[in-house]
Amino acid sequence: MRARRLYGRSMSRALAILATSAAVAGCADEGGGPATPCTQLNCELGSLSCCVPASPGVWDPAGGTCVCPPPDDPDADADADAAADADADTDTDATAEADPDAEPEADAGDDDGGTVDERGPYPPGPYGLDVGDVMKNYSFLTSSGRISLQDVRLDRAHTILFVYLGSASCAYCSTETPELNVLYTDWEPRGLEILGVLADDDLGPPTGASADEYFRDGYGAEYPYGANEWAAGTLMSDLFPDGNVGLPENFILDLDTMRIRERMDGYPDSGGLEPFIDRYL
């Protein structure tokens, strides 16, 4: 491999190496017969007719001779290995002497404005809809696609989730829905998240567009919301399998475990929603 590196140097450099070498390779004639002539081709291919041991050389067209590489110098190799070991030791020492109290470097995604710390996969079942049960990862229609409970729970800035199911045709919903805005303003900085769910639409099955009309346009909602489509396996169909619907319906969930900590069938008779939130934040 050393001989190959000579091809990347100029002719004057190759001649200087030859002049300072302690041992000079010579031509070969060990077979007892006529010596094979040392030509430019034999020189560059590394023939014994040019260099001993056979190694590719550099042809000198002016003198018509082959400039052979110097033989390996074991002492030089040892010096190179020792230098490499010294560099490795220096790197190790620098690592060992690092300040143990230094703050770890921030991840590439971190910034001064705070980051989303994902909680990981959705908690496994069995699932249910009573206090103490883990709620299934329901999803709801939005004007841009869907929103699921897992989407809502990923941000660790919130610890408690209030799920509200309401409808434009529900009398008590017209009292509770405006209260959600006040609740969100006061309690969101302390860890509350709200998910509004439009469960019914006077004009037919609720859609992402009708959820916008109800929550955003009707009440100026700043919390996430969606629409419960009319289909099996949805939150509404699991809550009211016989079709006998009662609204509003409210749940308070722990966002780490997605366990139901409170279930309220209807709007509280007195005191509103805040006392329920105050229990968990």
Side-chain angles (χ1 to χ4, degrees), residues 227-249:
N228 190 110
E229 60 200 297
W230 289 355
T234 64
L235 178 54
M236 283 293 291
S237 66
D238 289 347
L239 266 176
F240 308 108
D242 59 358
N244 186 17
V245 176
L247 295 173
E249 188 74 22

Side-chain angles (χ1 to χ4, degrees), residues 161-260:
L161 174 64
F162 186 89
V163 179
Y164 162 71
L165 291 90
S167 164
S169 61
C170 158
Y172 282 106
C173 295
S174 62
T175 300
E176 179 169 341
T177 308
E179 187 179 339
L180 295 179
N181 290 331
V182 178
L183 203 67
Y184 194 67
T185 299
D186 293 343
W187 290 90
E188 191 275 336
R190 290 181 259 181
L192 173 69
E193 182 61 286
I194 295 177
L195 177 62
V197 178
L198 182 62
D200 191 11
D201 187 351
D202 290 338
L203 301 178
T207 63
S210 60
D212 282 343
E213 182 179 353
Y214 180 77
F215 285 105
R216 183 194 64 196
D217 302 339
Y219 295 96
E222 296 183 356
Y223 48 83
Y225 56 80
N228 190 110
E229 60 200 297
W230 289 355
T234 64
L235 178 54
M236 283 293 291
S237 66
D238 289 347
L239 266 176
F240 308 108
D242 59 358
N244 186 17
V245 176
L247 295 173
E249 188 74 22
N250 305 285
F251 295 89
I252 297 177
L253 293 88
D254 182 300
L255 278 168
D256 283 329
T257 64
M258 296 307 288
R259 289 193 180 277
I260 300 170

Side-chain angles (χ1 to χ4, degrees), residues 63-124:
T65 58
C66 183
V67 181
C68 299
D72 288 342
D73 184 350
D75 293 336
D77 290 342
D79 291 342
D81 292 341
D85 293 340
D87 289 341
D89 291 341
T90 300
D91 293 341
T92 303
D93 291 342
T95 302
E97 293 173 3
D99 184 0
D101 297 326
E103 292 291 334
E105 293 185 7
D107 292 338
D110 290 350
D111 56 47
D112 293 337
T115 58
V116 172
D117 182 6
E118 294 188 353
R119 285 183 163 91
Y122 198 86

Side-chain angles (χ1 to χ4, degrees), residues 11 40-41 88 105 144-145 151 199 209 218-219:
M11 178 65 69
Q40 181 178 355
L41 179 60
E105 293 185 7
S144 59
D151 294 332
Y219 295 96

Side-chain angles (χ1 to χ4, degrees), residues 13 27 33 49 56 59 83 107 142 151 165 192 231 240 253 264 279:
R13 177 62 177 155
C27 296
S49 64
W59 183 254
D107 292 338
T142 68
D151 294 332
L165 291 90
L192 173 69
F240 308 108
L253 293 88
M264 292 171 279
R279 295 176 186 176

